[in-house]
PDB file of all heavy atoms in Angstrom:
ATOM      1  N   TRP A 460     -18.411 -82.760 -35.924  1.00  0.00           N
ATOM      2  CA  TRP A 460     -17.280 -82.432 -35.136  1.00  0.00           C
ATOM      3  C   TRP A 460     -17.392 -82.964 -33.727  1.00  0.00           C
ATOM      4  O   TRP A 460     -18.386 -82.684 -33.038  1.00  0.00           O
ATOM      5  CB  TRP A 460     -17.018 -80.905 -35.087  1.00  0.00           C
ATOM      6  CG  TRP A 460     -16.039 -80.392 -34.120  1.00  0.00           C
ATOM      7  CD1 TRP A 460     -14.866 -81.018 -33.725  1.00  0.00           C
ATOM      8  CD2 TRP A 460     -16.001 -79.175 -33.373  1.00  0.00           C
ATOM      9  NE1 TRP A 460     -14.128 -80.371 -32.786  1.00  0.00           N
ATOM     10  CE2 TRP A 460     -14.857 -79.178 -32.561  1.00  0.00           C
ATOM     11  CE3 TRP A 460     -16.891 -78.091 -33.273  1.00  0.00           C
ATOM     12  CZ2 TRP A 460     -14.541 -78.072 -31.755  1.00  0.00           C
ATOM     13  CZ3 TRP A 460     -16.621 -77.052 -32.419  1.00  0.00           C
ATOM     14  CH2 TRP A 460     -15.397 -77.054 -31.641  1.00  0.00           C
ATOM     15  N   ILE A 528      -9.523 -72.473 -27.365  1.00  0.00           N
ATOM     16  CA  ILE A 528     -10.629 -71.931 -28.137  1.00  0.00           C
ATOM     17  C   ILE A 528     -10.151 -71.212 -29.345  1.00  0.00           C
ATOM     18  O   ILE A 528     -10.715 -71.357 -30.490  1.00  0.00           O
ATOM     19  CB  ILE A 528     -11.492 -70.934 -27.248  1.00  0.00           C
ATOM     20  CG1 ILE A 528     -12.315 -71.840 -26.249  1.00  0.00           C
ATOM     21  CG2 ILE A 528     -12.421 -70.130 -28.043  1.00  0.00           C
ATOM     22  CD1 ILE A 528     -13.105 -70.930 -25.215  1.00  0.00           C
ATOM     23  N   MET A 531      -8.936 -73.691 -31.982  1.00  0.00           N
ATOM     24  CA  MET A 531      -9.965 -74.523 -32.519  1.00  0.00           C
ATOM     25  C   MET A 531     -10.887 -73.840 -33.460  1.00  0.00           C
ATOM     26  O   MET A 531     -11.410 -74.389 -34.425  1.00  0.00           O
ATOM     27  CB  MET A 531     -10.739 -75.181 -31.368  1.00  0.00           C
ATOM     28  CG  MET A 531     -10.069 -76.225 -30.580  1.00  0.00           C
ATOM     29  SD  MET A 531     -10.912 -76.809 -29.141  1.00  0.00           S
ATOM     30  CE  MET A 531     -12.065 -78.023 -29.880  1.00  0.00           C
ATOM     31  N   ILE A 532     -11.149 -72.557 -33.170  1.00  0.00           N
ATOM     32  CA  ILE A 532     -11.961 -71.745 -34.166  1.00  0.00           C
ATOM     33  C   ILE A 532     -11.371 -71.741 -35.512  1.00  0.00           C
ATOM     34  O   ILE A 532     -12.140 -71.959 -36.484  1.00  0.00           O
ATOM     35  CB  ILE A 532     -12.093 -70.275 -33.625  1.00  0.00           C
ATOM     36  CG1 ILE A 532     -12.958 -70.225 -32.281  1.00  0.00           C
ATOM     37  CG2 ILE A 532     -12.773 -69.379 -34.611  1.00  0.00           C
ATOM     38  CD1 ILE A 532     -12.987 -68.891 -31.639  1.00  0.00           C
ATOM     39  N   ASP A 533     -10.085 -71.619 -35.660  1.00  0.00           N
ATOM     40  CA  ASP A 533      -9.457 -71.611 -36.907  1.00  0.00           C
ATOM     41  C   ASP A 533      -9.598 -72.995 -37.606  1.00  0.00           C
ATOM     42  O   ASP A 533      -9.547 -73.055 -38.856  1.00  0.00           O
ATOM     43  CB  ASP A 533      -7.927 -71.268 -36.749  1.00  0.00           C
ATOM     44  CG  ASP A 533      -7.705 -69.841 -36.325  1.00  0.00           C
ATOM     45  OD1 ASP A 533      -8.600 -69.012 -36.502  1.00  0.00           O
ATOM     46  OD2 ASP A 533      -6.727 -69.557 -35.746  1.00  0.00           O
ATOM     47  N   VAL A 534      -9.648 -74.032 -36.889  1.00  0.00           N
ATOM     48  CA  VAL A 534      -9.810 -75.422 -37.398  1.00  0.00           C
ATOM     49  C   VAL A 534     -11.179 -75.635 -37.959  1.00  0.00           C
ATOM     50  O   VAL A 534     -11.364 -76.164 -39.093  1.00  0.00           O
ATOM     51  CB  VAL A 534      -9.373 -76.474 -36.308  1.00  0.00           C
ATOM     52  CG1 VAL A 534      -9.703 -77.869 -36.806  1.00  0.00           C
ATOM     53  CG2 VAL A 534      -7.901 -76.312 -35.998  1.00  0.00           C
ATOM     54  N   VAL A 535     -12.194 -75.208 -37.171  1.00  0.00           N
ATOM     55  CA  VAL A 535     -13.631 -75.673 -37.531  1.00  0.00           C
ATOM     56  C   VAL A 535     -14.433 -74.618 -38.221  1.00  0.00           C
ATOM     57  O   VAL A 535     -15.421 -74.938 -38.867  1.00  0.00           O
ATOM     58  CB  VAL A 535     -14.367 -76.143 -36.273  1.00  0.00           C
ATOM     59  CG1 VAL A 535     -13.636 -77.210 -35.537  1.00  0.00           C
ATOM     60  CG2 VAL A 535     -14.627 -74.976 -35.209  1.00  0.00           C
ATOM     61  N   ALA A 536     -13.983 -73.308 -38.233  1.00  0.00           N
ATOM     62  CA  ALA A 536     -14.818 -72.201 -38.727  1.00  0.00           C
ATOM     63  C   ALA A 536     -15.228 -72.413 -40.169  1.00  0.00           C
ATOM     64  O   ALA A 536     -16.334 -72.033 -40.474  1.00  0.00           O
ATOM     65  CB  ALA A 536     -14.212 -70.889 -38.510  1.00  0.00           C
ATOM     66  N   GLY A 537     -14.316 -72.807 -40.998  1.00  0.00           N
ATOM     67  CA  GLY A 537     -14.653 -72.910 -42.435  1.00  0.00           C
ATOM     68  C   GLY A 537     -15.132 -74.354 -42.880  1.00  0.00           C
ATOM     69  O   GLY A 537     -15.136 -74.618 -44.018  1.00  0.00           O
ATOM     70  N   GLU A 538     -15.476 -75.159 -41.926  1.00  0.00           N
ATOM     71  CA  GLU A 538     -15.740 -76.584 -42.264  1.00  0.00           C
ATOM     72  C   GLU A 538     -17.286 -76.866 -42.535  1.00  0.00           C
ATOM     73  O   GLU A 538     -17.562 -78.088 -42.888  1.00  0.00           O
ATOM     74  CB  GLU A 538     -15.279 -77.555 -41.196  1.00  0.00           C
ATOM     75  CG  GLU A 538     -13.750 -77.611 -41.080  1.00  0.00           C
ATOM     76  CD  GLU A 538     -13.129 -78.326 -42.135  1.00  0.00           C
ATOM     77  OE1 GLU A 538     -13.768 -78.995 -42.927  1.00  0.00           O
ATOM     78  OE2 GLU A 538     -11.930 -78.109 -42.365  1.00  0.00           O
ATOM     79  N   ASN A 539     -18.042 -75.882 -42.300  1.00  0.00           N
ATOM     80  CA  ASN A 539     -19.571 -76.165 -42.591  1.00  0.00           C
ATOM     81  C   ASN A 539     -20.072 -77.284 -41.793  1.00  0.00           C
ATOM     82  O   ASN A 539     -20.709 -78.296 -42.349  1.00  0.00           O
ATOM     83  CB  ASN A 539     -19.849 -76.284 -44.173  1.00  0.00           C
ATOM     84  CG  ASN A 539     -19.590 -75.067 -44.893  1.00  0.00           C
ATOM     85  OD1 ASN A 539     -19.871 -73.957 -44.418  1.00  0.00           O
ATOM     86  ND2 ASN A 539     -18.953 -75.205 -46.038  1.00  0.00           N
ATOM     87  N   ILE A 540     -19.849 -77.369 -40.521  1.00  0.00           N
ATOM     88  CA  ILE A 540     -20.224 -78.446 -39.644  1.00  0.00           C
ATOM     89  C   ILE A 540     -21.671 -78.392 -39.358  1.00  0.00           C
ATOM     90  O   ILE A 540     -22.242 -77.420 -39.076  1.00  0.00           O
ATOM     91  CB  ILE A 540     -19.360 -78.374 -38.271  1.00  0.00           C
ATOM     92  CG1 ILE A 540     -17.866 -78.634 -38.647  1.00  0.00           C
ATOM     93  CG2 ILE A 540     -19.878 -79.331 -37.325  1.00  0.00           C
ATOM     94  CD1 ILE A 540     -16.944 -78.240 -37.490  1.00  0.00           C
ATOM     95  N   ALA A 543     -21.986 -80.316 -33.704  1.00  0.00           N
ATOM     96  CA  ALA A 543     -20.897 -80.463 -32.725  1.00  0.00           C
ATOM     97  C   ALA A 543     -21.216 -81.291 -31.615  1.00  0.00           C
ATOM     98  O   ALA A 543     -22.353 -81.125 -31.032  1.00  0.00           O
ATOM     99  CB  ALA A 543     -20.304 -79.118 -32.427  1.00  0.00           C
ATOM    100  N   LEU A 551     -15.848 -76.852 -26.788  1.00  0.00           N
ATOM    101  CA  LEU A 551     -16.832 -77.132 -27.995  1.00  0.00           C
ATOM    102  C   LEU A 551     -18.083 -76.343 -27.798  1.00  0.00           C
ATOM    103  O   LEU A 551     -18.552 -75.676 -28.793  1.00  0.00           O
ATOM    104  CB  LEU A 551     -17.019 -78.638 -28.153  1.00  0.00           C
ATOM    105  CG  LEU A 551     -17.866 -78.988 -29.377  1.00  0.00           C
ATOM    106  CD1 LEU A 551     -17.380 -80.198 -30.050  1.00  0.00           C
ATOM    107  CD2 LEU A 551     -19.368 -79.211 -28.794  1.00  0.00           C
ATOM    108  N   PRO A 552     -18.883 -76.427 -26.755  1.00  0.00           N
ATOM    109  CA  PRO A 552     -20.190 -75.768 -26.733  1.00  0.00           C
ATOM    110  C   PRO A 552     -20.100 -74.219 -26.943  1.00  0.00           C
ATOM    111  O   PRO A 552     -20.940 -73.591 -27.528  1.00  0.00           O
ATOM    112  CB  PRO A 552     -20.679 -76.053 -25.315  1.00  0.00           C
ATOM    113  CG  PRO A 552     -20.002 -77.307 -24.942  1.00  0.00           C
ATOM    114  CD  PRO A 552     -18.649 -77.227 -25.528  1.00  0.00           C
ATOM    115  N   ARG A 553     -18.974 -73.632 -26.451  1.00  0.00           N
ATOM    116  CA  ARG A 553     -18.791 -72.209 -26.639  1.00  0.00           C
ATOM    117  C   ARG A 553     -18.425 -71.792 -28.050  1.00  0.00           C
ATOM    118  O   ARG A 553     -18.944 -70.767 -28.550  1.00  0.00           O
ATOM    119  CB  ARG A 553     -17.706 -71.708 -25.568  1.00  0.00           C
ATOM    120  CG  ARG A 553     -17.960 -72.176 -24.147  1.00  0.00           C
ATOM    121  CD  ARG A 553     -16.780 -71.961 -23.208  1.00  0.00           C
ATOM    122  NE  ARG A 553     -16.674 -70.514 -22.803  1.00  0.00           N
ATOM    123  CZ  ARG A 553     -15.723 -70.024 -22.067  1.00  0.00           C
ATOM    124  NH1 ARG A 553     -14.783 -70.831 -21.605  1.00  0.00           N
ATOM    125  NH2 ARG A 553     -15.715 -68.796 -21.699  1.00  0.00           N
ATOM    126  N   ILE A 554     -17.611 -72.633 -28.609  1.00  0.00           N
ATOM    127  CA  ILE A 554     -17.328 -72.363 -30.076  1.00  0.00           C
ATOM    128  C   ILE A 554     -18.533 -72.588 -30.910  1.00  0.00           C
ATOM    129  O   ILE A 554     -18.838 -71.846 -31.871  1.00  0.00           O
ATOM    130  CB  ILE A 554     -16.107 -73.238 -30.533  1.00  0.00           C
ATOM    131  CG1 ILE A 554     -14.817 -72.875 -29.739  1.00  0.00           C
ATOM    132  CG2 ILE A 554     -15.932 -73.021 -31.990  1.00  0.00           C
ATOM    133  CD1 ILE A 554     -13.710 -73.812 -29.994  1.00  0.00           C
ATOM    134  N   ALA A 555     -19.226 -73.689 -30.737  1.00  0.00           N
ATOM    135  CA  ALA A 555     -20.414 -74.048 -31.514  1.00  0.00           C
ATOM    136  C   ALA A 555     -21.458 -72.923 -31.381  1.00  0.00           C
ATOM    137  O   ALA A 555     -22.065 -72.539 -32.301  1.00  0.00           O
ATOM    138  CB  ALA A 555     -20.950 -75.382 -31.000  1.00  0.00           C
ATOM    139  N   TYR A 556     -21.719 -72.562 -30.249  1.00  0.00           N
ATOM    140  CA  TYR A 556     -22.663 -71.413 -29.969  1.00  0.00           C
ATOM    141  C   TYR A 556     -22.231 -70.167 -30.674  1.00  0.00           C
ATOM    142  O   TYR A 556     -23.044 -69.505 -31.374  1.00  0.00           O
ATOM    143  CB  TYR A 556     -22.803 -71.089 -28.419  1.00  0.00           C
ATOM    144  CG  TYR A 556     -23.866 -70.070 -28.108  1.00  0.00           C
ATOM    145  CD1 TYR A 556     -25.170 -70.397 -28.047  1.00  0.00           C
ATOM    146  CD2 TYR A 556     -23.390 -68.813 -27.902  1.00  0.00           C
ATOM    147  CE1 TYR A 556     -26.169 -69.416 -27.733  1.00  0.00           C
ATOM    148  CE2 TYR A 556     -24.360 -67.773 -27.492  1.00  0.00           C
ATOM    149  CZ  TYR A 556     -25.687 -68.112 -27.416  1.00  0.00           C
ATOM    150  OH  TYR A 556     -26.591 -67.171 -27.184  1.00  0.00           O
ATOM    151  N   GLY A 557     -20.945 -69.786 -30.594  1.00  0.00           N
ATOM    152  CA  GLY A 557     -20.509 -68.627 -31.297  1.00  0.00           C
ATOM    153  C   GLY A 557     -20.581 -68.626 -32.754  1.00  0.00           C
ATOM    154  O   GLY A 557     -20.715 -67.623 -33.407  1.00  0.00           O
ATOM    155  N   LEU A 558     -20.391 -69.824 -33.371  1.00  0.00           N
ATOM    156  CA  LEU A 558     -20.350 -70.000 -34.796  1.00  0.00           C
ATOM    157  C   LEU A 558     -21.787 -70.443 -35.309  1.00  0.00           C
ATOM    158  O   LEU A 558     -21.976 -70.679 -36.475  1.00  0.00           O
ATOM    159  CB  LEU A 558     -19.348 -71.033 -35.225  1.00  0.00           C
ATOM    160  CG  LEU A 558     -17.904 -70.676 -34.973  1.00  0.00           C
ATOM    161  CD1 LEU A 558     -16.981 -71.750 -35.419  1.00  0.00           C
ATOM    162  CD2 LEU A 558     -17.530 -69.397 -35.716  1.00  0.00           C
ATOM    163  N   GLY A 559     -22.740 -70.603 -34.384  1.00  0.00           N
ATOM    164  CA  GLY A 559     -24.088 -70.992 -34.792  1.00  0.00           C
ATOM    165  C   GLY A 559     -24.140 -72.377 -35.236  1.00  0.00           C
ATOM    166  O   GLY A 559     -25.105 -72.817 -36.106  1.00  0.00           O
ATOM    167  N   ILE A 560     -23.407 -73.316 -34.707  1.00  0.00           N
ATOM    168  CA  ILE A 560     -23.364 -74.798 -34.946  1.00  0.00           C
ATOM    169  C   ILE A 560     -24.211 -75.492 -33.905  1.00  0.00           C
ATOM    170  O   ILE A 560     -23.955 -75.287 -32.700  1.00  0.00           O
ATOM    171  CB  ILE A 560     -22.015 -75.386 -34.961  1.00  0.00           C
ATOM    172  CG1 ILE A 560     -21.111 -74.626 -35.977  1.00  0.00           C
ATOM    173  CG2 ILE A 560     -22.012 -76.802 -35.230  1.00  0.00           C
ATOM    174  CD1 ILE A 560     -19.589 -74.934 -35.909  1.00  0.00           C
ATOM    175  N   PRO A 561     -25.243 -76.290 -34.225  1.00  0.00           N
ATOM    176  CA  PRO A 561     -26.004 -77.012 -33.239  1.00  0.00           C
ATOM    177  C   PRO A 561     -25.081 -77.870 -32.471  1.00  0.00           C
ATOM    178  O   PRO A 561     -24.194 -78.527 -33.017  1.00  0.00           O
ATOM    179  CB  PRO A 561     -27.076 -77.794 -33.994  1.00  0.00           C
ATOM    180  CG  PRO A 561     -27.126 -77.055 -35.327  1.00  0.00           C
ATOM    181  CD  PRO A 561     -25.826 -76.441 -35.591  1.00  0.00           C
ATOM    182  N   ASN A 798     -31.051 -78.332 -38.634  1.00  0.00           N
ATOM    183  CA  ASN A 798     -30.086 -77.162 -38.855  1.00  0.00           C
ATOM    184  C   ASN A 798     -30.334 -76.507 -40.287  1.00  0.00           C
ATOM    185  O   ASN A 798     -30.218 -77.167 -41.335  1.00  0.00           O
ATOM    186  CB  ASN A 798     -28.659 -77.673 -38.789  1.00  0.00           C
ATOM    187  CG  ASN A 798     -27.569 -76.516 -38.895  1.00  0.00           C
ATOM    188  OD1 ASN A 798     -27.867 -75.401 -38.729  1.00  0.00           O
ATOM    189  ND2 ASN A 798     -26.368 -76.967 -39.157  1.00  0.00           N
TER     190      ASN A 798
END
Side-chain angles (χ1 to χ4, degrees):
W460 168 33
I528 286 176
M531 290 174 80
I532 291 173
D533 292 336
V534 171
V535 303
E538 292 290 344
N539 295 317
I540 293 167
L551 180 141
R553 303 170 80 181
I554 294 171
Y556 182 82
L558 296 177
I560 302 169
N798 186 15

